[in-house]
Amino acid sequence: MLPFWFVILTFISQPVTSIDVISSSCPERCGDVLVPYPFGINFTSGISNPYNCALNKHFILTCNVSDDPPTLFFGENMPIHNISIEEGTISVRIESANNCYNETGITYNFSQYIRMKGGRPVRFSDTRNKFTVVGCDTLALMEDDEETFGSGCISMCDSNVTLEGSCSGRGCCQTPLPRNLTTINIHLSSLYNHSRVWQFKPCEFAFLADERTFNFSNLQLSSYPYSLETKEYFTTDVVIEWAVREETCEEAKSTSNADKKYACGPNTDCIYSENVGGYRCNCTDGFTGNPYLPQGCQDIDECKEPDRYKCDGTCKNTYGNYTCSCPLGMRGDGKVGCQGFRITTIAAIVGGVASIMVIAFLIIILYKRRRNERNFLKNGGLLLKHQRVRIFTEAELVKATKNYDQSLLLGEGGFGYVYKGVLADNTQVAVKKPKDKDKTQINQEFQQELGIVSQVNHRNVVKVLGLCLETNVPLLVYEFISHGTLSQHIHYNRSKILATWKNRLRVAAETALALDYLHSLADPPIIHGDVKSSTRIQGTIGYLDPEYLMTGNLTEKSDVYSFGVVLVELLTGEKPNSSARSGEKSNIIQYFLSSLENNELSRILCFDVASETEMEEIEVFAELAKQCVRVSGMKRPTMKQVSEELGRLRKLHERSGDYHQNSEETEHLLGQSSYRSIDIGTAKLNQQEVLSLTTFDVEYSTGSI
């Protein structure tokens, strides 16, 4: 049996009872160590009475005044260097277990036995301490008195080792402690009696150590961990957890026994320690001080500690907390940060009823401004104001539309209403106002896509002039085009513009140019997704790509199909979802393809053909339409190919006749704005619909396809 040395962890056992008032004469220090209540100090010189200065007998510590400086002890031989009320810990220094060897064998051995007397509310900390073994050819074991657990580790190495800041496993090993530990027996032994390694590693040792403070880089395996001559042993910091009593918070609060009075004062929280199996006290958030004193936890004035407690506005201390109000004109939580615009100057308001009226007026203005600011920020104003899009105020558009007068209503769609408006500079615009049911917040995707859409610039594309972000749902502002839709010219007006083949070809060619621009030149490329001659709600039957209906995948070839339907509509004058002229139950595409197959194209045309040359051009046009409406998207041409073919056909037509004859009359009928044939409002970017921008559900954009 190896000899052992033991330390008893206990307090001086004297009768002490709980007290309500702590004497101001109670000492608070022993040397350099602060000793807060519930602990008390028993000086070896007998100069004070500790029993009126501690919570009870378990909390009396001994101060040896003969040392220089005086030393505070926990038990008999463990110097204390820190006591923490907040963490419920005592940090002490304990010597390590050691074995040292020379060529003849062991020269000195020191095993460690640490015991806490039963009934004391103290335990070794299982979270702060680690059992550590340092050496080569070293086996260290630890167990408790009751033998309820046993553990240890082996440390091996075959050359001189320096531990650089941590225990890496070579020349050192570690293992954790279990909970609720009051005794530890530590024994060291060598597997080979150090016969192989004693010359360069003569000593081995095992110890408990606080992980926060222990530094492995101070250890050298080739040196002795103590001085044999002076018996200055190698020591480490060890953390001991303490509690007031070994009972739960609920049990403590319900105890009526005066000897076990609940120890926590006002403004405190009771904390249960699983390791100790007892409770201790802490000040509640917003309070600071000693939770064991009758009035120990005092309110923190957070406003006097700006470096610790943030406030970007006006700070006001409250009991246990504080408030922080943002400056006038700003909003948010001042503890986090205020947003908005600071109002640095507020006009002084003086005098009676007049003052009250002015203040009321300012309140109304401020309310509206803050409401508009909230909507502006919510709808992405900080991002959008840097894009190439005009930001209108709500007041501007209310005035332009005469407060959305019904006489200025241009049309209605699934998303909202469109009103004609006249701005202050006499510019005519179309203002889209969403319906009540569509009041959804603008999202980040909308902000990004609007930034892209606003940069599209093509003469055949209806332009987005700007938007208003001050309303709950943004208002869209478009250029105003007064000539009506292509559908109206084909089906309702018997339009003089479309009376000739030349103009129908021009409409088709310029519309194809715009779609080609969206597909090929826009950055990023844009899939329109709703090409048609009318401005009905998006997804009109008859224009939709059958491949899209089956797969749900929207592609550029979907636009090619829809454009092919429009070409058929230009030729036949029939609506895509109507029955054929023969009365058969087939749609216009089937009717058109059947007529081509039977060489009956001339029979289905809705306009007069001026010459045989024009008929040849129309046949080429019809064949192109046929290619566009093929069921398989892969077999359809691209929009660029369609545009180039229509451009070639148009040049051919110009060379075949007197293109410039009656040009002034033609321009008068057509008008430059008549061929703005793609409304960018319902374009889809990256196959995602641009939220709140659709304008196909209104009846104002000429040739909107």
Side-chain angles (χ1 to χ4, degrees):
M1 173 68 71
L2 293 174
F4 67 87
W5 180 92
F6 71 91
V7 179
I8 300 177
L9 274 70
T10 181
F11 299 92
I12 295 177
S13 180
Q14 296 293 339
V16 179
T17 59
S18 300
I19 58 176
D20 293 326
V21 179
I22 309 302
S23 172
S24 59
S25 63
C26 291
E28 296 181 347
R29 284 186 176 275
C30 174
D32 297 330
V33 181
L34 179 66
V35 183
Y37 186 80
F39 294 94
I41 304 175
N42 180 42
F43 291 93
T44 54
S45 62
I47 60 176
S48 67
N49 180 6
Y51 309 124
N52 293 327
C53 298
L55 179 66
N56 56 46
K57 63 183 179 181
H58 303 311
F59 287 86
I60 297 175
L61 306 174
T62 300
C63 181
N64 188 348
V65 297
S66 62
D67 294 337
D68 186 19
T71 305
L72 185 69
F73 284 95
F74 185 78
E76 297 178 359
N77 295 80
M78 289 174 289
I80 298 173
H81 62 86
N82 182 65
I83 299 174
S84 173
I85 293 294
E86 292 78 12
E87 296 185 354
T89 59
I90 300 174
S91 295
V92 300
R93 287 194 172 273
I94 296 180
E95 299 159 358
S96 64
N98 305 281
N99 278 350
C100 288
Y101 301 83
N102 59 19
E103 68 275 13
T104 63
I106 191 166
T107 62
Y108 185 82
N109 74 297
F110 174 66
S111 296
Q112 181 68 287
Y113 172 54
I114 308 172
R115 177 171 65 89
M116 301 185 193
K117 282 190 175 181
R120 269 54 178 179
V122 290
R123 302 289 189 276
F124 291 104
S125 173
D126 62 318
T127 57
R128 293 276 296 273
N129 299 316
K130 279 287 182 67
F131 178 63
T132 304
V133 179
V134 177
C136 289
D137 177 30
T138 303
L139 170 64
L141 300 174
M142 64 173 176
E143 62 183 1
D144 63 350
D145 278 354
E146 294 78 16
E147 297 184 353
T148 59
F149 95 101
S151 182
C153 60
I154 299 175
S155 175
M156 303 291 292
C157 55
D158 56 5
S159 63
N160 198 17
V161 176
T162 299
L163 301 175
E164 298 179 355
S166 64
C167 183
S168 62
R170 187 165 176 260
C172 173
C173 65
Q174 284 185 318
T175 188
L177 269 67
R179 283 182 179 175
N180 231 283
L181 195 61
T182 59
T183 60
I184 298 179
N185 290 291
I186 301 175
H187 297 281
L188 280 168
S189 62
S190 170
L191 298 177
Y192 303 105
N193 248 359
H194 254 61
S195 59
R196 300 178 183 176
V197 295
W198 71 267
Q199 289 182 331
F200 56 91
K201 304 173 186 65
C203 291
E204 59 196 8
F205 41 102
F207 51 87
L208 300 185
D210 181 5
E211 285 190 299
R212 292 186 187 176
T213 61
F214 188 75
N215 188 351
F216 283 91
S217 61
N218 295 332
L219 295 177
Q220 296 288 336
L221 297 186
S222 60
S223 63
Y224 285 81
Y226 54 85
S227 170
L228 293 175
E229 292 78 13
T230 63
K231 301 298 182 182
E232 293 178 357
Y233 301 115
F234 171 69
T235 62
T236 58
D237 290 346
V238 177
V239 178
I240 298 170
E241 291 185 28
W242 55 271
V244 176
R245 292 185 187 88
E246 294 181 20
E247 56 186 2
T248 66
C249 292
E250 291 74 17
E251 291 170 344
K253 293 176 182 179
S254 62
T255 298
S256 59
N257 190 333
D259 291 335
K260 292 186 177 182
K261 185 176 180 181
Y262 181 54
C264 302
N267 305 316
T268 61
D269 296 323
C270 182
I271 300 173
Y272 181 74
S273 169
E274 295 287 349
N275 183 35
V276 182
Y279 80 94
R280 57 187 178 85
C281 313
N282 264 356
C283 289
T284 303
D285 289 343
F287 296 87
T288 186
N290 190 323
Y292 300 98
L293 295 176
Q295 301 298 326
C297 291
Q298 297 296 315
D299 175 51
I300 299 172
D301 190 344
E302 292 84 357
C303 299
K304 293 182 179 179
E305 302 183 43
D307 294 338
R308 184 178 176 188
Y309 300 98
K310 180 180 178 181
C311 181
D312 287 343
T314 302
C315 182
K316 182 179 180 181
N317 185 55
T318 61
Y319 192 66
N321 206 335
Y322 72 107
T323 62
C324 182
S325 303
C326 289
L328 185 62
M330 302 185 72
R331 65 186 180 284
D333 185 350
K335 296 180 182 180
V336 179
C338 298
Q339 296 178 339
F341 302 95
R342 291 182 181 271
I343 299 179
T344 58
T345 303
I346 300 179
I349 308 300
V350 290
V353 176
S355 297
I356 295 175
M357 293 179 63
V358 171
I359 293 173
F361 176 76
L362 290 177
I363 291 174
I364 293 172
I365 294 298
L366 181 61
Y367 169 78
K368 290 184 177 180
R369 178 184 297 177
R370 295 187 67 175
R371 180 202 64 186
N372 291 344
E373 287 176 0
R374 284 195 300 269
N375 289 330
F376 182 84
L377 294 174
K378 178 189 71 175
N379 293 326
L382 292 180
L383 172 66
L384 296 174
K385 74 177 183 180
H386 299 299
Q387 305 293 332
R388 293 191 301 171
V389 59
R390 179 175 173 182
I391 304 297
F392 291 89
T393 66
E394 183 181 16
E396 279 183 280
L397 299 185
V398 168
K399 183 177 180 181
T401 59
K402 298 181 180 179
N403 199 20
Y404 304 100
D405 191 288
Q406 287 300 305
S407 65
L408 298 178
L409 182 65
L410 295 174
E412 175 186 355
F415 177 78
Y417 306 95
V418 176
Y419 296 85
K420 179 181 178 180
V422 181
L423 301 178
D425 60 0
N426 291 323
T427 300
Q428 292 185 331
V429 294
V431 181
K432 168 173 268 190
K433 184 179 182 183
K435 294 180 178 179
D436 291 342
K437 66 179 180 180
D438 291 317
K439 287 186 176 180
T440 56
Q441 293 186 358
I442 189 169
N443 60 21
Q444 182 179 5
E445 180 184 4
F446 164 70
Q447 300 169 22
Q448 295 171 344
E449 293 179 352
L450 180 60
I452 297 172
V453 172
S454 64
Q455 298 178 47
V456 174
N457 184 18
H458 193 274
R459 67 190 185 92
N460 294 333
V461 176
V462 175
K463 291 183 176 60
V464 178
L465 300 182
L467 67 164
C468 173
L469 300 175
E470 294 181 352
T471 52
N472 190 35
V473 178
L475 304 179
L476 280 298
V477 181
Y478 297 89
E479 63 176 332
F480 178 76
I481 300 174
S482 61
H483 293 280
T485 67
L486 177 59
S487 180
Q488 291 172 340
H489 283 272
I490 294 176
H491 303 295
Y492 307 115
N493 296 342
R494 295 191 175 275
S495 171
K496 294 181 180 180
I497 294 176
L498 299 180
T500 64
W501 161 243
K502 176 178 67 176
N503 288 343
R504 290 178 185 256
L505 178 58
R506 178 179 173 184
V507 168
E510 295 201 6
T511 302
L513 279 173
L515 280 173
D516 179 33
Y517 168 82
L518 297 181
H519 287 188
S520 305
L521 299 178
D523 185 17
I526 297 172
I527 298 174
H528 191 285
D530 199 27
V531 178
K532 57 193 173 187
S533 65
S534 66
T535 57
R536 296 177 183 173
I537 301 173
Q538 190 171 12
T540 304
I541 299 300
Y543 294 95
L544 293 178
D545 176 9
E547 196 169 65
Y548 164 69
L549 292 176
M550 290 186 291
T551 65
N553 294 326
L554 191 66
T555 67
E556 293 176 353
K557 293 298 184 72
S558 301
D559 284 352
V560 173
Y561 181 90
S562 301
F563 181 70
V565 176
V566 174
L567 295 183
V568 174
E569 197 173 355
L570 279 168
L571 289 174
T572 64
E574 297 287 342
K575 297 179 181 179
N577 53 0
S578 64
S579 299
R581 295 177 187 173
S582 63
E584 298 176 357
K585 296 296 184 180
S586 61
N587 63 34
I588 187 61
I589 301 302
Q590 294 171 330
Y591 177 58
F592 166 72
L593 295 176
S594 176
S595 299
L596 282 186
E597 185 176 349
N598 296 324
N599 296 318
E600 296 178 344
L601 176 60
S602 59
R603 184 173 61 84
I604 66 173
L605 299 179
C606 66
F607 55 91
D608 295 331
V609 180
S611 66
E612 184 176 344
T613 300
E614 280 193 355
M615 191 62 202
E616 291 174 354
E617 295 171 359
I618 293 169
E619 289 174 351
V620 174
F621 186 96
E623 181 61 30
L624 180 61
K626 174 183 175 182
Q627 297 301 318
C628 290
V629 297
R630 299 190 73 167
V631 174
S632 172
M634 295 182 60
K635 296 181 179 180
R636 301 170 198 156
T638 65
M639 206 62 233
K640 178 174 287 297
Q641 292 171 325
V642 173
S643 177
E644 290 174 350
E645 179 65 13
L646 288 173
R648 184 193 66 80
L649 192 60
R650 187 179 177 192
K651 289 180 180 179
L652 181 65
H653 178 83
E654 292 173 3
R655 289 196 298 268
S656 66
D658 185 7
Y659 181 76
H660 297 288
Q661 183 178 1
N662 298 323
S663 60
E664 292 182 0
E665 179 182 355
T666 301
E667 287 299 324
H668 174 72
L669 289 173
L670 296 176
Q672 184 179 1
S673 62
S674 299
Y675 294 96
R676 294 193 180 275
S677 47
I678 298 295
D679 185 343
I680 193 62
T682 54
K684 293 196 175 183
L685 308 180
N686 299 324
Q687 301 185 6
Q688 296 293 324
E689 181 181 358
V690 177
L691 301 179
S692 305
L693 283 178
T694 179
T695 57
F696 277 108
D697 51 0
V698 299
E699 302 287 337
Y700 75 92
S701 58
T702 298
S704 186
I705 296 178

